[in-house]
Amino acid sequence: MIILLRHGQGDLARLYEQLRVEALTYGDVGATATPDLPSGYHHVSSRRIIGRGPADWATARQAVLNWAPHRGAGFAIYPPHVTANGGETVLVTRRLGLASLVIPCRVVYRTDEVGRVGFAYGTLPGHPEEGEESFHVVRTAEDEVIIDIRAFSRPADQLAKLGGPLGRLVQGAVTDRYLDAMEQAVKRPSSPR
Protein backbone atom coordinates (compact mmCIF):
# COMPACT_ATOMS: atom_id res chain seq x y z
CA MET A 1 0.00 0.00 0.00
CA ILE A 2 1.07 3.52 -0.58
CA ILE A 3 1.05 6.06 2.22
CA LEU A 4 0.93 9.71 1.25
CA LEU A 5 1.89 12.13 3.98
CA ARG A 6 0.17 14.97 2.18
CA HIS A 7 -3.50 15.05 1.21
CA GLY A 8 -3.35 17.30 -1.82
CA GLN A 9 -5.17 16.50 -5.04
CA GLY A 10 -1.91 17.25 -6.85
CA ASP A 11 -0.19 14.36 -5.07
CA LEU A 12 -3.00 11.99 -6.03
CA ALA A 13 -3.00 13.29 -9.60
CA ARG A 14 0.74 12.62 -9.98
CA LEU A 15 0.45 9.13 -8.51
CA TYR A 16 -2.59 8.40 -10.68
CA GLU A 17 -0.72 9.38 -13.85
CA GLN A 18 2.22 7.13 -12.89
CA LEU A 19 -0.04 4.14 -12.21
CA ARG A 20 -2.13 4.49 -15.38
CA VAL A 21 0.70 2.92 -17.38
CA GLU A 22 1.56 0.16 -14.89
CA ALA A 23 0.61 -3.48 -15.48
CA LEU A 24 -1.65 -5.45 -13.17
CA THR A 25 0.26 -7.43 -10.52
CA TYR A 26 -1.33 -10.85 -11.09
CA GLY A 27 -1.87 -13.22 -14.00
CA ASP A 28 -5.45 -14.45 -13.57
CA VAL A 29 -7.08 -11.30 -14.95
CA GLY A 30 -10.84 -11.61 -15.26
CA ALA A 31 -11.08 -14.80 -13.20
CA THR A 32 -13.80 -13.39 -10.92
CA ALA A 33 -16.11 -13.74 -13.93
CA THR A 34 -15.61 -17.52 -13.97
CA PRO A 35 -17.47 -20.04 -11.78
CA ASP A 36 -14.30 -21.24 -10.02
CA LEU A 37 -11.78 -18.81 -8.59
CA PRO A 38 -8.12 -19.67 -9.32
CA SER A 39 -6.07 -21.79 -6.95
CA GLY A 40 -3.14 -20.36 -5.01
CA TYR A 41 -5.14 -17.45 -3.61
CA HIS A 42 -7.35 -16.73 -0.62
CA HIS A 43 -11.00 -16.64 -1.79
CA VAL A 44 -13.88 -14.45 -0.64
CA SER A 45 -17.49 -14.90 -1.68
CA SER A 46 -20.25 -12.90 0.03
CA ARG A 47 -23.85 -12.23 -0.98
CA ARG A 48 -26.68 -10.34 0.64
CA ILE A 49 -30.25 -9.46 -0.31
CA ILE A 50 -30.38 -5.65 -0.33
CA GLY A 51 -33.79 -4.99 -1.83
CA ARG A 52 -36.73 -6.13 -3.88
CA GLY A 53 -38.45 -4.90 -7.03
CA PRO A 54 -37.69 -2.57 -9.93
CA ALA A 55 -37.03 0.59 -7.89
CA ASP A 56 -34.44 -1.12 -5.67
CA TRP A 57 -32.91 -2.74 -8.76
CA ALA A 58 -32.53 0.64 -10.50
CA THR A 59 -30.97 2.19 -7.41
CA ALA A 60 -28.57 -0.72 -6.86
CA ARG A 61 -27.43 -0.70 -10.51
CA GLN A 62 -26.45 2.96 -10.32
CA ALA A 63 -24.96 2.65 -6.83
CA VAL A 64 -22.58 -0.22 -7.59
CA LEU A 65 -21.18 1.47 -10.73
CA ASN A 66 -20.66 4.73 -8.84
CA TRP A 67 -18.58 3.13 -6.06
CA ALA A 68 -21.27 3.11 -3.34
CA PRO A 69 -19.75 0.02 -1.66
CA HIS A 70 -16.45 1.85 -1.25
CA ARG A 71 -17.75 5.29 -0.40
CA GLY A 72 -20.22 3.86 2.11
CA ALA A 73 -17.39 1.89 3.72
CA GLY A 74 -15.43 5.09 4.34
CA PHE A 75 -13.18 5.17 1.27
CA ALA A 76 -12.84 7.85 -1.37
CA ILE A 77 -12.22 7.22 -5.06
CA TYR A 78 -9.78 9.16 -7.23
CA PRO A 79 -10.61 10.51 -9.73
CA PRO A 80 -13.71 11.44 -7.74
CA HIS A 81 -16.26 11.48 -10.58
CA VAL A 82 -15.23 8.28 -12.34
CA THR A 83 -17.66 5.41 -12.87
CA ALA A 84 -16.55 1.80 -12.97
CA ASN A 85 -15.61 1.22 -16.61
CA GLY A 86 -13.22 -1.37 -18.00
CA GLY A 87 -9.63 -0.12 -18.19
CA GLU A 88 -10.14 2.73 -15.73
CA THR A 89 -7.38 3.17 -13.14
CA VAL A 90 -8.60 4.24 -9.70
CA LEU A 91 -7.03 5.08 -6.38
CA VAL A 92 -9.08 3.88 -3.42
CA THR A 93 -8.09 6.18 -0.56
CA ARG A 94 -8.67 6.52 3.15
CA ARG A 95 -7.37 9.18 5.48
CA LEU A 96 -5.51 7.89 8.52
CA GLY A 97 -4.80 10.85 10.73
CA LEU A 98 -2.04 12.89 9.13
CA ALA A 99 -1.55 10.48 6.22
CA SER A 100 -3.62 8.90 3.48
CA LEU A 101 -3.73 5.23 2.60
CA VAL A 102 -3.81 4.79 -1.18
CA ILE A 103 -4.79 1.47 -2.75
CA PRO A 104 -4.20 1.42 -6.54
CA CYS A 105 -6.51 -0.66 -8.75
CA ARG A 106 -7.70 -0.97 -12.34
CA VAL A 107 -11.18 -1.95 -13.48
CA VAL A 108 -10.59 -5.12 -15.53
CA TYR A 109 -14.15 -5.58 -16.75
CA ARG A 110 -17.63 -4.17 -16.46
CA THR A 111 -20.79 -6.27 -16.67
CA ASP A 112 -24.07 -4.83 -17.92
CA GLU A 113 -26.48 -7.67 -18.58
CA VAL A 114 -30.18 -8.17 -18.03
CA GLY A 115 -30.40 -8.98 -14.34
CA ARG A 116 -26.67 -8.51 -13.56
CA VAL A 117 -24.59 -5.32 -13.40
CA GLY A 118 -21.20 -4.59 -11.89
CA PHE A 119 -17.46 -4.68 -12.33
CA ALA A 120 -14.20 -6.16 -11.12
CA TYR A 121 -10.92 -4.47 -10.39
CA GLY A 122 -7.43 -5.83 -10.09
CA THR A 123 -4.38 -4.79 -8.15
CA LEU A 124 -1.62 -2.47 -9.35
CA PRO A 125 1.91 -1.96 -7.96
CA GLY A 126 1.73 -0.56 -4.44
CA HIS A 127 -1.34 -2.59 -3.45
CA PRO A 128 -0.61 -4.80 -0.40
CA GLU A 129 -2.27 -7.78 -2.13
CA GLU A 130 -2.29 -9.13 -5.65
CA GLY A 131 -5.56 -10.33 -7.09
CA GLU A 132 -9.02 -9.26 -8.12
CA GLU A 133 -12.36 -8.34 -6.55
CA SER A 134 -15.77 -8.12 -8.21
CA PHE A 135 -18.91 -6.23 -7.19
CA HIS A 136 -22.18 -7.19 -8.89
CA VAL A 137 -25.84 -6.57 -8.23
CA VAL A 138 -28.16 -9.32 -9.37
CA ARG A 139 -31.94 -9.32 -9.84
CA THR A 140 -33.35 -12.79 -9.26
CA ALA A 141 -36.43 -14.43 -10.79
CA GLU A 142 -38.11 -13.82 -7.40
CA ASP A 143 -37.42 -10.07 -7.86
CA GLU A 144 -34.83 -9.94 -5.07
CA VAL A 145 -31.88 -7.58 -5.50
CA ILE A 146 -28.61 -9.08 -4.30
CA ILE A 147 -25.10 -7.70 -3.93
CA ASP A 148 -22.50 -10.34 -4.78
CA ILE A 149 -18.83 -9.77 -3.92
CA ARG A 150 -16.14 -12.25 -4.98
CA ALA A 151 -12.39 -11.96 -4.62
CA PHE A 152 -9.15 -13.84 -4.85
CA SER A 153 -5.95 -12.44 -3.40
CA ARG A 154 -2.59 -13.22 -1.87
CA PRO A 155 0.03 -11.04 -0.17
CA ALA A 156 2.09 -8.95 -2.57
CA ASP A 157 5.09 -8.35 -0.29
CA GLN A 158 6.80 -9.67 2.82
CA LEU A 159 5.04 -7.25 5.17
CA ALA A 160 1.62 -8.39 3.89
CA LYS A 161 2.72 -12.04 4.28
CA LEU A 162 3.67 -11.40 7.91
CA GLY A 163 0.27 -9.88 8.58
CA GLY A 164 -1.55 -12.81 6.89
CA PRO A 165 -4.23 -13.63 9.50
CA LEU A 166 -4.72 -9.97 10.37
CA GLY A 167 -5.01 -9.14 6.66
CA ARG A 168 -7.78 -11.74 6.26
CA LEU A 169 -9.65 -10.25 9.24
CA VAL A 170 -9.38 -6.77 7.74
CA GLN A 171 -10.53 -8.07 4.35
CA GLY A 172 -13.54 -9.75 5.95
CA ALA A 173 -14.46 -6.61 7.89
CA VAL A 174 -14.14 -4.42 4.79
CA THR A 175 -16.28 -6.84 2.76
CA ASP A 176 -18.97 -6.63 5.44
CA ARG A 177 -18.80 -2.85 5.24
CA TYR A 178 -19.22 -3.02 1.45
CA LEU A 179 -22.34 -5.17 1.88
CA ASP A 180 -23.73 -2.79 4.52
CA ALA A 181 -23.01 0.21 2.30
CA MET A 182 -24.92 -1.26 -0.63
CA GLU A 183 -27.85 -2.13 1.62
CA GLN A 184 -27.92 1.47 2.87
CA ALA A 185 -27.57 2.87 -0.66
CA VAL A 186 -30.70 1.00 -1.70
CA LYS A 187 -32.65 1.92 1.44
CA ARG A 188 -31.69 5.59 1.33
CA PRO A 189 -30.74 6.59 -2.21
CA SER A 190 -28.67 9.74 -2.43
CA SER A 191 -26.23 11.36 -4.78
CA PRO A 192 -23.79 8.74 -6.16
CA ARG A 193 -20.83 11.04 -5.72
Side-chain angles (χ1 to χ4, degrees):
M1 86 192 81
I2 300 168
I3 303 289
L4 291 180
L5 296 178
R6 293 183 287 169
H7 300 292
Q9 291 293 308
D11 298 315
L12 286 177
R14 281 187 290 281
L15 181 59
Y16 173 79
E17 287 303 319
Q18 292 170 358
L19 289 166
R20 285 180 63 188
V21 298
E22 292 290 337
L24 295 164
T25 58
Y26 64 105
D28 296 293
V29 176
T32 54
T34 65
D36 297 317
L37 296 175
S39 62
Y41 296 90
H42 172 74
H43 297 166
V44 171
S45 184
S46 294
R47 293 172 61 98
R48 182 184 296 173
I49 297 170
I50 57 173
R52 177 177 294 280
D56 288 352
W57 170 242
T59 300
R61 286 172 48 98
Q62 180 180 352
V64 75
L65 294 175
N66 286 296
W67 305 95
H70 300 78
R71 290 186 169 110
F75 295 98
I77 301 295
Y78 185 89
H81 301 296
V82 68
T83 56
N85 290 310
E88 187 69 51
T89 297
V90 295
L91 304 177
V92 180
T93 67
R94 176 99 186 226
R95 285 199 175 191
L96 301 172
L98 299 175
S100 289
L101 172 67
V102 181
I103 304 167
C105 301
R106 179 167 301 126
V107 177
V108 295
Y109 68 84
R110 177 173 165 164
T111 306
D112 199 348
E113 303 166 351
V114 174
R116 187 167 184 268
V117 173
F119 68 96
Y121 59 43
T123 57
L124 290 170
H127 196 294
E129 300 280 322
E130 55 183 44
E132 189 172 293
E133 188 165 24
S134 68
F135 302 83
H136 286 86
V137 289
V138 179
R139 188 174 182 187
T140 69
E142 296 78 27
D143 218 15
E144 294 174 331
V145 179
I146 296 171
I147 178 69
D148 183 16
I149 299 173
R150 298 179 76 216
F152 61 90
S153 62
R154 61 184 169 213
D157 58 32
Q158 195 60 32
L159 183 59
K161 287 177 186 170
L162 291 173
L166 178 60
R168 298 296 165 237
L169 287 173
V170 169
Q171 186 179 29
V174 171
T175 299
D176 287 343
R177 291 180 75 182
Y178 291 154
L179 296 168
D180 293 344
M182 280 299 294
E183 191 169 17
Q184 289 303 312
V186 170
K187 286 182 179 177
R188 292 185 300 208
S190 61
S191 171
R193 298 187 215 301

